[in-house]
Amino acid sequence: MQKKVFITRSILPDGAELLRARGYKVDVSELDRPMTYEELKSKAHGYDALITMLNDRIDEAFLKSNSHLKVISNYAVGFNNIDIKMASSLKIPIGNTPDVLTEATAEVALGLMIAASRNFLSAERSGEQGQWKNWHPTEHLGFALSGKTLGVVGFGRIGLRLASMCARAFNMKIIYVANSEKENSLAAIKVELSELLSKSDFISLHLPLNCTTKNMIGKAEFDSMKKNAVLVNTARGEIVDQAALIKALKENTIFAAGLDVTDPEPLPIENELFKLKNAIVLPHIGSATYEARRAMSILAAKNIIAGLEDHELEAWVNKKDLLP
Ligand code: GLV
Ligand code: GLV
């Protein structure tokens, strides 16, 4: 019988075309919003495989109710929305989309470093609001990147790519926190988090969200940062204690923050982060280039094909649990 694949949101069509060319039936959600948990949980009953979005909650109850699934491919590198342990115990392979979005996400992190340290947002708003009366010698002053120290928390693909951009283009000194030393050609040095926090002029987070990283940057961490520090988060909002961040920005404990992720998402319009002059908040656009999203669509589809045809997934999150 023809196998059926469901894509939970309309993504760039390259992946669906690949799946159809391979002979699979592909349906795509027609809703211009995320499906609700219940909608997706019952919809999935009629399919062999799913391409899910990072805001689809694939928890224990979902998986138990859909234990027939042959494969799930998350349209993201992060997979904190999926109960991996339960998927493994039900022998459902889980795929993700690493590598293809590394460049796009590192570019957003670099953009946020510059935008936050050079006050792009408040400077632009001042023009919009009629405050641009003349060229001003002492307004909108920020800090240069050149020659400064970048602290990268989590030195995986994206963290390393950002470090490389900053070392090469801005002659920045790189220090990082990771579980093990990572070979690199940037003279980047592994340090403890406490040292990274007190020495860095820019701090960028590149960790997966899990129970050890949740809220790892809170009041004590902000208190040990430099006053000129710029915090950038393109990973997951929950890694930062957001109330502590707002307080640190209000009291100028640190200079500024550039965020592509928040807690929750979407961030409600009345949230204080939107009102602060020293915070810039993007709506989770790290991977939002045509190049990355097209490659993610294709990689997600390749994971599905491999899962349906009993091959190894190209990007296989729970490989260690499932390979005999
Ligand atoms: C985006 O946040 C992703 O995990 O791909
Ligand atoms: C994501 O791809 C990472 O390892 O940083």
Side-chain angles (χ1 to χ4, degrees):
M1 223 177 57
Q2 192 186 30
K3 294 264 173 48
K4 291 172 70 182
V5 181
F6 185 66
I7 307 179
T8 68
R9 192 83 189 254
S10 180
I11 60 177
L12 293 182
D14 308 64
E17 284 160 15
L18 197 66
L19 289 163
R20 291 191 180 108
R22 194 86 183 176
Y24 297 119
K25 170 135 177 49
V26 180
D27 292 329
V28 181
S29 169
E30 283 166 10
L31 304 170
D32 191 21
R33 60 161 172 82
M35 295 177 78
T36 67
Y37 177 77
E38 290 301 333
E39 281 171 347
L40 182 54
K41 184 148 138 295
S42 71
K43 184 81 177 173
H45 292 154
Y47 292 86
D48 302 286
L50 303 178
I51 294 180
T52 51
M53 304 302 117
L54 55 82
N55 41 18
D56 294 325
R57 180 161 52 90
I58 311 297
D59 61 7
E60 175 172 345
F62 184 102
L63 289 163
K64 282 185 168 159
S65 155
N66 283 289
S67 59
H68 68 283
L69 287 169
K70 292 278 172 291
V71 56
I72 298 173
S73 189
N74 212 37
Y75 187 70
V77 65
F79 44 82
N80 51 287
N81 57 312
I82 301 180
D83 184 338
I84 300 297
K85 234 173 114 185
M86 181 50 52
S88 295
S89 77
L90 294 169
K91 305 236 176 326
I92 303 173
I94 305 296
N96 68 338
T97 61
D99 301 314
V100 293
L101 46 61
T102 297
E103 198 68 25
T105 310
E107 285 176 1
V108 165
L110 176 60
L112 284 170
M113 284 170 62
I114 298 175
S117 65
R118 297 298 305 275
N119 302 305
F120 276 12
L121 190 68
S122 57
E124 204 268 352
R125 275 185 194 153
S126 79
E128 278 179 6
Q129 292 164 2
Q131 304 301 316
W132 185 9
K133 308 277 198 221
N134 47 53
W135 180 86
H136 203 291
T138 56
E139 272 181 2
H140 308 303
L141 300 189
F143 292 98
L145 275 67
S146 287
K148 297 290 172 54
T149 296
L150 169 66
V152 183
V153 185
F155 212 47
R157 288 161 285 226
I158 299 169
L160 181 60
R161 185 66 189 108
L162 175 69
S164 161
M165 292 174 179
C166 290
R168 301 215 160 95
F170 300 99
N171 197 27
M172 293 182 81
K173 184 176 168 213
I174 312 295
I175 54 181
Y176 68 91
V177 167
N179 292 330
S180 58
E181 275 193 34
K182 312 274 168 151
E183 219 176 290
N184 66 83
S185 55
L186 308 171
I189 300 167
K190 179 176 176 301
V191 296
E192 294 302 316
L193 181 62
S194 57
E195 184 178 345
L196 181 141
L197 296 173
S198 65
K199 287 195 172 156
S200 299
D201 303 295
F202 293 82
I203 297 173
S204 192
L205 306 180
H206 299 282
L207 299 155
L209 172 64
N210 54 44
C211 49
T212 52
T213 62
K214 192 172 160 80
N215 279 337
M216 76 178 272
I217 305 296
K219 179 177 187 319
E221 286 69 31
F222 288 115
D223 284 344
S224 61
M225 291 178 194
K226 291 184 171 182
K227 263 187 108 67
N228 65 295
V230 172
L231 177 75
V232 168
N233 189 4
T234 55
R236 286 293 180 269
E238 293 88 341
I239 296 170
V240 174
D241 173 346
Q242 202 163 274
L245 170 63
I246 290 170
K247 194 155 183 290
L249 290 168
K250 272 180 146 167
E251 296 175 358
N252 299 308
T253 311
I254 65 171
F255 184 68
L259 310 173
D260 187 44
V261 290
T262 57
D263 176 22
E265 290 180 14
L267 191 66
I269 184 153
E270 60 278 5
N271 191 283
E272 281 192 276
L273 280 173
F274 282 130
K275 301 185 181 95
L276 290 170
K277 281 179 73 173
N278 54 352
I280 170 163
V281 183
L282 301 178
H284 204 149
I285 60 167
S287 67
T289 61
Y290 289 102
E291 293 87 351
R293 290 281 169 86
R294 195 168 289 131
M296 288 164 68
S297 179
I298 291 168
L299 179 52
K302 285 183 174 167
N303 284 335
I304 295 289
I305 292 171
L308 290 176
E309 299 177 10
D310 288 323
H311 298 307
E312 291 191 18
L313 274 56
E314 192 162 318
W316 192 355
V317 172
N318 56 351
K319 178 172 179 173
K320 274 206 257 27
D321 303 337
L322 294 189
L323 258 202

